[in-house]
Amino acid sequence: SVLLIMSVASLFFSYNASANQVVRFSSVALQDLQSHKRVTGTLKALTQTHIASAEAGVVTKVFVNEGDSVELGQVLLQIDNRKMLAEKSRLEAELALTQAKHALAQAEFDLAEDDYIAYKHSANKNAISEQRLRQSKTAALSGQANVIAAHEAIKALQAQLNIAEVRLDDMT
């Protein structure tokens, strides 16, 4: 196409040269032409997705850049988890304390139950009053309630600890 234009231009200039006009020629070189188009507009992504984190916090690391393709389940960022780690440590300490309280409540219950059994045998021989027997029975029942309460507190703390671990996983 470049050669065709130059041929037409030379015929035109030769025709005009006979009319006493100055004609200038330049050398022709064979080149690859690059076509560029300048357009104005807005580019939109083919698909767009909104993301949200299950936990709020300060982003400490970003693992992808704008425009990167990502896959389902890919970690995109990490949220500061120091507060959640402290909360998990607090729950672990509280769990250990509650387990110790459970062991103490169990020991007290076992002692109160043994006392009640002994007082019951003594009451059958009229060796103690009915009031003392009722007091030992109440102490045994109270000890049993304390054991149950401590056991339930352990289960609740274990559930809270599991939730804290899930929340920590969500921060990555």
Side-chain angles (χ1 to χ4, degrees):
S1 68
V2 173
L3 292 175
L4 178 64
I5 292 172
M6 293 307 290
S7 300
V8 171
S10 66
L11 285 175
F12 175 76
F13 287 126
S14 342
Y15 174 76
N16 286 337
S18 59
N20 291 330
Q21 291 183 356
V22 177
V23 178
R24 294 189 181 134
F25 290 95
S26 62
S27 60
V28 176
L30 184 60
Q31 297 178 3
D32 288 334
L33 297 177
Q34 294 180 355
S35 64
H36 291 283
K37 291 184 181 179
R38 188 173 290 224
V39 293
T40 304
T42 304
L43 292 176
K44 291 186 179 182
L46 181 61
T47 58
Q48 189 174 17
T49 302
H50 296 283
I51 62 168
S53 173
E55 294 296 325
V58 176
V59 175
T60 56
K61 290 182 185 174
V62 178
F63 300 111
V64 294
N65 294 312
E66 186 175 338
D68 287 355
S69 295
V70 295
E71 295 180 14
L72 181 66
Q74 180 179 347
V75 176
L76 305 178
L77 56 91
Q78 181 178 17
I79 297 175
D80 185 4
N81 61 2
R82 292 177 295 176
K83 288 181 183 177
M84 187 53 62
L85 287 172
E87 174 68 9
K88 181 182 175 197
S89 294
R90 185 194 67 76
L91 287 170
E92 289 170 339
E94 191 174 341
L95 178 62
L97 178 63
T98 304
Q99 287 171 332
K101 286 181 179 180
H102 178 265
L104 177 63
Q106 184 66 52
E108 288 174 346
F109 168 64
D110 291 344
L111 179 62
E113 189 176 41
D114 289 345
D115 285 349
Y116 172 66
I117 291 170
Y119 284 133
K120 193 173 181 181
H121 287 314
S122 296
N124 288 339
K125 297 178 186 175
N126 291 326
I128 62 164
S129 68
E130 284 290 320
Q131 180 182 9
R132 183 66 191 123
L133 181 62
R134 284 193 308 270
Q135 287 174 344
S136 75
K137 182 178 181 180
T138 301
L141 291 173
S142 175
Q144 185 180 28
N146 289 339
V147 169
I148 293 169
H151 180 72
E152 294 302 315
I154 287 172
K155 286 175 24 180
L157 284 168
Q158 286 171 333
Q160 289 179 11
L161 195 55
N162 289 340
I163 290 170
E165 289 170 354
V166 168
R167 290 179 69 191
L168 273 170
D169 287 343
D170 287 346
M171 292 180 140
T172 305

